Amino acid sequence: MSEGQRERLAETLLAWLLSGSNVPDVAARLHVHPQTVRYRLRQLEKVFGDALHDPGARLDLILALTTAQKSEEFLNSRP
């Protein structure tokens, strides 16, 4: 899996988790077609399996993805 693909999947996963699993909302937020979101979610299910439906694992994913996103934003904002 390429770096760009990992980034798109991470962005999709975080948006999906924060939207309460609402595919149309995720599609609107990411400016992609809902079918694109569903395709990415199938890819994520292959990686994470049942963890995507476990509340504890979902919280862990939200925290990890949010932290990674904020760290990247911080590093990119430095001169």
Side-chain angles (χ1 to χ4, degrees), residues 3-79:
E3 180 66 26
Q5 202 173 14
R6 278 194 302 272
E7 289 175 8
R8 282 189 298 279
L9 289 176
E11 179 183 41
T12 301
L13 179 55
L14 182 57
W16 182 73
L17 292 167
L18 295 177
S19 75
S21 308
N22 185 316
V23 170
D25 185 45
V26 173
R29 183 181 299 188
L30 299 180
H31 306 288
V32 298
H33 194 278
Q35 189 59 32
T36 300
V37 175
R38 290 184 192 95
Y39 172 75
R40 291 176 185 175
L41 289 172
R42 285 192 300 273
Q43 291 179 303
L44 289 162
E45 284 178 345
K46 289 178 186 176
V47 174
F48 293 104
D50 292 338
L52 291 180
H53 305 288
D54 173 41
R58 289 170 67 107
L59 176 59
D60 290 343
L61 288 167
I62 290 169
L63 293 172
L65 291 167
T66 302
T67 300
Q69 186 180 55
K70 297 297 180 188
S71 294
E72 186 175 326
E73 288 172 6
F74 174 74
L75 291 174
N76 290 336
S77 69
R78 297 180 72 184

